[in-house]
Amino acid sequence: DDITDKIEYTITHANGSKTLRTTIVKNGKKASSKDRKIAAPQNYKPVTLTVPVPDGLANGDGWKGTVSKKTVDGNVEIVYNYEIMHPDGGKTMRTVTSCNGKKTTVDESIEPTESPEAAIIIPPPEDLKPNDGWKGSAERSTIGSEVTTTYSYTIFHKGGSKTLRKVIIYPDKKRKTLNRTKSAPLNYKPPEKEKIIPPQNLPYGCGWKAQRKITRDNHDVETKITKYSVTGISNGESMNYEQTETIVGDICGDLSKIEITGGPSSNKS
């Protein structure tokens, strides 16, 4: 006796249209196949695949990702491929696969940094007061795909006291802040206010006034920015100009850089 099977398919296309296919199989061999096309609805809007932010990003991480979709035996499989870039130069390559809307597998590989000495960017500590100074360090630990970053700060206050602070950023982006205050030494004396000397190349007979701003970076390198206003008459010529002198580092020791902008050549009168 002949055995006849009738198989009906519904094929859904990306543009919203469908193909209804009827296939006849006789004795295990395909005998005939008939297709009927159904156009997409007039108000059909194609579904746009988006790439969500990857889980477990640490402070300073960057990322990029792609997404692909395929249907196998009526099951919709979506694959997300991520490249996560860490501030120390390392990378995490991650593939997340979901089937019918449920996450099924996560495959991950870690590419260590080619420059182990590469510094993690250290943000300034929060809640600094105008006269506070600070220095900081950072370290990052990775266990599997879980990245934890710890920032250690020493904050110097005007009265000689210090705040020792640790800020821990966990893989789930939650943070923990630990503060410990150290009082100023009993014999502490505030540093004497540094006297501002006249600007370089000051014309004879001219007067001047100045404002200075001093900052320190997280490597404890000092930058002094002094802005001068110079007015007066020198050699019968009226002088009225501004000059900025920037000193990076220790002028008495290792001088990193000195820069002068403005000066008599920018005379406005």
Side-chain angles (χ1 to χ4, degrees):
D1 293 338
D2 291 336
I3 299 175
T4 302
D5 294 319
K6 181 180 179 182
I7 304 172
E8 294 183 341
Y9 299 93
T10 299
I11 305 171
T12 303
H13 305 293
N15 63 0
S17 64
K18 295 180 180 180
T19 298
L20 304 182
R21 178 172 297 166
T22 302
T23 301
I24 305 297
V25 178
K26 287 186 177 181
N27 300 324
K29 294 182 180 180
K30 181 178 176 181
S32 64
S33 183
K34 184 185 237 182
D35 287 351
R36 183 163 66 91
K37 303 288 186 181
I38 299 178
Q42 290 185 352
N43 59 350
Y44 174 78
K45 293 182 180 180
V47 177
T48 302
L49 293 177
T50 59
V51 184
V53 177
D55 295 334
L57 285 183
N59 188 38
D61 283 346
W63 68 278
K64 57 184 178 181
T66 60
V67 60
S68 60
K69 176 184 175 183
K70 64 180 179 180
T71 302
V72 180
D73 297 330
N75 295 313
V76 179
E77 184 178 273
I78 299 178
V79 179
Y80 302 96
N81 289 299
Y82 294 100
E83 180 180 351
I84 302 171
M85 292 78 72
H86 306 300
D88 62 0
K91 294 181 181 179
T92 298
M93 312 301 293
R94 181 183 301 166
T95 299
V96 180
T97 304
S98 69
C99 186
N100 297 328
K102 296 181 180 180
K103 187 183 293 184
T104 54
T105 60
V106 178
D107 296 319
E108 198 164 74
S109 63
I110 296 176
E111 298 180 6
T113 175
E114 297 179 359
S115 304
E117 71 282 0
I120 301 172
I121 298 174
I122 303 175
E126 297 178 351
D127 303 325
L128 281 181
K129 295 180 181 179
N131 293 311
D132 284 345
W134 67 279
K135 62 181 179 180
S137 61
E139 62 182 45
R140 170 169 284 130
S141 61
T142 303
I143 300 176
S145 62
E146 304 292 303
V147 180
T148 300
T149 305
T150 302
Y151 299 98
S152 299
Y153 297 100
T154 301
I155 303 171
F156 307 95
H157 304 298
K158 183 178 180 181
S161 63
K162 298 178 183 179
T163 297
L164 306 180
R165 177 178 298 170
K166 279 188 180 294
V167 180
I168 305 171
I169 313 293
Y170 294 104
D172 58 2
K173 296 185 181 180
K174 291 183 179 179
R175 63 172 58 204
K176 182 178 182 180
T177 301
L178 304 173
N179 284 320
R180 183 162 64 93
T181 301
K182 296 185 69 174
S183 301
L186 292 174
N187 59 351
Y188 173 76
K189 292 182 179 179
E192 295 183 5
K193 191 173 182 180
E194 183 179 7
K195 185 178 180 180
I196 300 178
I197 62 175
Q200 296 194 40
N201 305 317
L202 178 67
Y204 177 78
C206 287
W208 59 276
K209 58 182 180 180
Q211 291 183 331
R212 172 170 288 171
K213 180 180 180 181
I214 301 176
T215 61
R216 288 183 179 273
D217 64 14
N218 58 334
H219 299 293
D220 209 25
V221 176
E222 183 180 81
T223 298
K224 298 177 183 177
I225 301 176
T226 308
K227 294 184 177 181
Y228 295 93
S229 295
V230 177
T231 58
I233 297 177
S234 178
N235 296 325
E237 183 180 356
S238 177
M239 301 298 246
N240 182 10
Y241 66 87
E242 294 183 352
Q243 180 168 305
T244 300
E245 297 181 12
T246 302
I247 299 174
V248 180
D250 185 2
I251 192 68
C252 298
D254 296 328
L255 177 62
S256 298
K257 182 176 69 173
I258 182 167
E259 180 180 327
I260 301 175
T261 58
S265 61
S266 63
N267 189 18
K268 299 178 182 178
S269 299

